[in-house]
Amino acid sequence: MTRPHGLLAATTLGVLLLACGDVSSPSRGGRYDWRIFIPYDSAGPRVDTLTFHWTAAQLPVRIWAQDTLQTPQHMKDAIDRWKAAFLYGEFDAVLVADSGSADLIVRVQPLPGNGLPAMPGACEAETEIDTVATRRELRIPIHISLHPKADPSVVDPAPCLDVVATHELGHAMGIFQHSDDPLDVMFAQPDANTPSARDIHTVETMYHLPSDMVPVRP
Amino acid sequence: MLVDRMSRGCNLPRMRCAFRFAAWLAAALPVRAAAQDTYYLAVGAVGATKLVQDQIIAPIDVRQSLAPAIIVGAALTAFPRYRAGLELEFASGGFHATESGVTTRLGTVRTLAATLGLDGPVVSRVRWRLGTGLIHYMPSDDQGIFLQGGTTRWLAGLGAEYRHPLKPDRWDLLALLRYDIHPFLTDQLQSRGFSQARYVHRLTLSVGIARAAQ
């Protein structure tokens, strides 16, 4: 066998050996419960445990943010952080100028008092999750309220609003519970403004399970 | 053939050896310049196996769609029957994720592969090629598996070409078949726990023209 033909044969053999290998999925670590618990009594008192996420056909989620205290910028940063949690295009959102067509409305206003509050210090926020006529429907637009607790001219609310914007968008994406780990952005009183490994694994799992709820617009 | 005889004949007296070497050069060089050096251009399509295989709930595959490709190359005669050359292949196409039969488009990715190769004859108009080099992935958007940008990886490949002479001479019609393999792993995949690269196999079929240099 001549030298070039020997090289050709050796390379072919090497390529065939490489072709035999395969790679397993990485281990993703822990996650927390994200599902909503809804009591119902059509066949006696029961609790349904439901999961929700925006489906590919509903993306990008349209978000209208009140142009106060840099709220649109906080929401844009929150979108980027959550999008970065996904590898396979599971979530996308855009800011829109028309609140009438929005799936999610973000206002800076006083707390109505019956949502999912997050209070990291200088501000508070909440997301109203409204399951309407049947427990398998979610009313949209979802409303997020951001509420600076101090006078914005005295205490800069921006760092706090940055954290709660990401936290509340996590609720609007379908994380209907709080994490029990202070390092997670979905902890009830979050300090982190970036999703942790547990946050990421939670939303990854959530977005790869069938959604039990359908968004409906009245 | 001349090279083999030359090497075996060097136990002759030094003067005769030098003379024979000069004679060999005189005979070999014009052949090399006129008949073997070449450059070429071809267009075709490239298909590839999975870039990523993962499982969160159900298995997820990420792969490139069949992509149009353009190939340019040049080769110089290294030995009377063999050429060494550089080949560039550029391809641009979509890539997508598939899970439980549902496909999600993830954007566009461009690849540029540069290989240094050696080619030689199989039969009269058919030649083999062996190459190694680099492949660079350039995503249209830095997101998902490319959140931290593209990646550059080594590449090894095999190929075959068929040439059909055209008039005027020096021009050939060319059909190229290329197969290559490279490991694929991005910084974002590594940061998410993928510790091993996945080997991606690509097959390119293209047609074009080649010209022999004078």
Side-chain angles (χ1 to χ4, degrees), chain B residues 11 16-17 31 33 56 59 80 92 102 119 130 138 144 149 160 162 169 171 212 214:
Chain B
N11 55 359
R16 286 180 64 190
C17 190
V31 171
I56 296 172
S92 177
V102 178
D119 70 70
L130 191 64
M138 298 167 281
Y162 170 80
D169 57 5
W171 285 101
Q214 283 286 23

Side-chain angles (χ1 to χ4, degrees), chain A residues 114-128:
Chain A
N114 57 356
L116 293 161
M119 298 168 283
C123 64
E124 293 183 10
E126 72 169 20
T127 302
E128 290 179 56

Side-chain angles (χ1 to χ4, degrees), chain A residues 54-138:
Chain A
W54 300 93
T55 62
Q58 292 153 356
L59 300 180
V61 176
R62 293 157 296 176
I63 301 176
W64 180 87
Q66 185 178 340
D67 194 6
T68 307
L69 299 176
Q70 299 178 302
T71 304
Q73 186 58 48
H74 293 310
M75 292 312 299
K76 184 177 180 307
D77 292 342
I79 292 167
D80 290 343
R81 288 172 190 142
W82 281 115
K83 275 182 70 175
F86 295 100
L87 290 174
Y88 309 115
E90 295 92 329
F91 177 76
D92 194 13
V94 291
L95 292 176
V96 294
D98 177 17
S99 62
S101 65
D103 302 312
L104 180 58
I105 290 180
V106 185
R107 293 186 188 280
V108 179
Q109 62 182 23
L111 283 169
N114 57 356
L116 293 161
M119 298 168 283
C123 64
E124 293 183 10
E126 72 169 20
T127 302
E128 290 179 56
I129 304 301
D130 188 356
T131 56
V132 286
T134 79
R135 62 192 180 282
R136 292 183 182 272
E137 291 182 346
L138 178 70

Side-chain angles (χ1 to χ4, degrees), chain A residues 12-66:
Chain A
T12 307
L13 185 63
V15 161
L16 290 174
L17 286 174
L18 282 174
C20 295
D22 210 346
V23 181
S24 58
S25 300
S27 84
R28 286 185 156 82
R31 61 180 183 231
Y32 46 86
D33 201 348
W34 66 90
R35 296 167 299 177
I36 192 168
F37 304 102
I38 300 180
Y40 69 102
D41 58 4
S42 57
R46 292 183 184 179
V47 174
D48 217 347
T49 307
L50 302 173
T51 185
F52 167 77
H53 66 77
W54 300 93
T55 62
Q58 292 153 356
L59 300 180
V61 176
R62 293 157 296 176
I63 301 176
W64 180 87
Q66 185 178 340

Side-chain angles (χ1 to χ4, degrees), chain A residues 74-75 77-79 81-82 161-171 173 185-186 192-195:
Chain A
H74 293 310
M75 292 312 299
D77 292 342
I79 292 167
R81 288 172 190 142
W82 281 115
L161 292 174
D162 188 47
V163 170
V164 296
T166 307
H167 178 101
E168 300 307 327
L169 182 57
H171 285 314
M173 288 168 63
V185 76
M186 295 312 293
N193 66 357
T194 304

Side-chain angles (χ1 to χ4, degrees), chain B residues 149-214:
Chain B
T151 185
T152 302
R153 299 282 155 176
W154 66 261
L155 176 86
L158 307 165
E161 71 171 49
Y162 170 80
R163 290 186 184 224
H164 183 80
L166 287 177
K167 291 179 181 179
D169 57 5
R170 293 181 59 207
W171 285 101
D172 291 337
L173 261 182
L174 181 70
L176 296 177
L177 177 65
R178 296 285 187 256
Y179 162 80
D180 60 56
I181 184 170
H182 63 275
F184 179 83
L185 188 64
T186 63
D187 291 345
Q188 175 65 3
L189 287 169
Q190 275 186 289
S191 74
R192 297 291 288 273
F194 288 80
S195 56
Q196 282 183 285
R198 178 179 185 80
Y199 283 96
V200 176
H201 307 261
R202 303 193 315 156
L203 196 65
T204 308
L205 188 60
S206 58
V207 292
I209 51 169
R211 186 174 167 90
Q214 283 286 23

